[in-house]
Amino acid sequence: MDIISVATFIILFSTGRTADLIHTFLNRSLPPVAIAALLFVLPPYLFLKLLLFAFCSAFSKDVAGKVVLITGASSGIGEYLAYEYARRGACLALVARRENRLNDVADMAYQLGSPDVVVIQGDVSRAEDCERFVDRMIDHFGHRKHVAFYSIFSLVTNAGIAPMRMFEDCPDITKLAPAMDINFWGSVCSIFFALPYLKRSRGKIVGIASAAGWLPAPRIGSPQASKAALISFYETLRTELGSEITITIVTPGLIESEMTRGKFLSKEGRIVLDPQMRDERFFRVQS
């Protein structure tokens, strides 16, 4: 049976009497079955989640003295993850485009307990920058006796942007490319160059994606597509790497960050901080 025949069958089936009967049966039978299943499944599921949380809390990995590389560490989630790792005594490699902001984050990380922090200016959308900051991190921590020169305990791929506009209002479709370059390819390139070192240390990848990757919403079509691609990529890595590297996929919703304060991709394809643009796009008054 070829594709055309299958498509014809599906159309005829979906518009026929049989489909109506099946839909009626499902509408009447599924709700009570789903409620009954929920009542039986939810309590043991929550109990198992509680046990898993207790187990993970009791046997959480010690990151003291180990190297953690964080992209997009100058603000938002990346910045505060740096502080949390610092409190646990991790050595940090902080990557972002704004070196002055990274220096501020590094100073705070030292105060919170990190034994060593290296600041590396770089743009994750450029493959050569990704290779350079991984090499720079390896060179920097190679002189520390308690840190294996090849060891990256954790790679946090956090750098990202969120262009906000209706698709039909986009003046130039090519200006949406940075969303994919930074959100998707930035993470892919960072992982590619760090992967050999992560495999040697049986390390961890923490992928900061977004709920937008699976929750459609207007005005964020390009970041939604990039995050959905990123989630799919992480899932593929899980199947390829097996137990060699642990991969955690994080899909946060809306949080307070530079993006919620007005950090957007302008019509010219440049990243700008514009609270007025945020208000116009999120709180537009309909006349």
Side-chain angles (χ1 to χ4, degrees):
M1 184 178 291
D2 58 21
I3 296 176
I4 296 177
S5 299
V6 172
T8 304
F9 173 78
I10 292 173
I11 293 173
L12 292 175
F13 178 81
S14 63
T15 58
R17 178 68 176 171
T18 305
D20 293 337
L21 293 175
I22 292 176
H23 292 162
T24 301
F25 171 76
L26 292 177
N27 288 336
R28 292 179 179 177
S29 60
L30 274 185
V33 171
I35 293 173
L38 186 64
L39 291 176
F40 281 102
V41 172
L42 188 59
Y45 171 76
L46 294 176
F47 178 71
L48 289 175
K49 290 282 286 185
L50 179 62
L51 289 180
L52 181 62
F53 174 77
F55 177 83
C56 292
S57 299
F59 297 97
S60 59
K61 291 185 178 180
D62 180 17
V63 299
K66 296 180 180 178
V67 179
V68 178
L69 172 62
I70 305 174
T71 66
S74 61
S75 64
I77 294 177
E79 175 185 355
Y80 285 90
L81 279 176
Y83 298 155
E84 290 302 316
Y85 277 115
R87 290 188 178 96
R88 290 161 174 77
C91 298
L92 300 175
L94 306 179
V95 178
R97 287 171 299 185
R98 297 174 296 177
E99 190 170 4
N100 58 331
R101 277 290 300 140
L102 284 179
N103 288 327
D104 294 338
V105 176
D107 291 340
M108 178 60 70
Y110 276 121
Q111 296 178 32
L112 293 173
S114 178
D116 195 359
V117 183
V118 58
V119 167
I120 310 171
Q121 190 276 334
D123 184 348
V124 297
S125 67
R126 298 167 57 87
E128 57 271 27
D129 276 20
C130 295
E131 183 176 20
R132 177 178 56 80
F133 64 64
V134 170
D135 290 342
R136 170 76 185 283
M137 182 205 65
I138 297 301
D139 291 341
H140 177 85
F141 291 107
H143 73 279
R144 298 185 64 90
K145 294 182 179 179
H146 68 284
V147 178
F149 79 96
Y150 53 78
S151 175
I152 308 177
F153 173 73
S154 185
L155 168 64
V156 182
T157 54
N158 170 73
I161 60 171
M164 300 285 184
R165 65 170 56 89
M166 298 292 283
F167 182 72
E168 63 181 350
D169 295 335
C170 181
D172 182 355
I173 192 63
T174 62
K175 302 304 182 183
L176 296 178
M180 185 63 73
D181 293 340
I182 296 173
N183 295 354
F184 178 74
W185 288 112
S187 295
V188 171
C189 290
S190 301
I191 293 171
F192 178 79
F193 292 111
L195 193 59
Y197 308 104
L198 286 165
K199 291 179 70 174
R200 292 179 190 177
S201 62
R202 301 185 70 84
K204 175 189 287 291
I205 295 173
V206 180
I208 309 298
S210 170
W214 49 265
L215 181 63
R219 304 183 188 281
I220 54 173
S222 53
Q224 279 180 331
S226 63
K227 294 298 186 180
L230 191 58
I231 293 171
S232 181
F233 172 73
Y234 290 139
E235 295 287 6
T236 302
L237 276 187
R238 281 176 169 170
T239 64
E240 292 184 358
L241 299 175
S243 59
E244 292 183 274
I245 297 175
T246 302
I247 299 177
T248 300
I249 305 173
V250 184
T251 57
L254 190 64
I255 65 167
E256 183 180 356
S257 67
E258 287 188 341
M259 292 183 186
T260 58
R261 292 194 293 270
K263 182 180 179 181
F264 295 113
L265 197 67
S266 69
K267 294 181 180 180
E268 294 76 24
R270 298 194 303 269
I271 297 174
V272 297
L273 191 63
D274 189 345
Q276 183 177 355
M277 186 186 302
R278 173 204 61 193
D279 296 341
E280 289 176 353
R281 292 182 180 178
F282 281 102
F283 308 109
R284 181 180 298 173
V285 178
Q286 302 295 330
S287 57

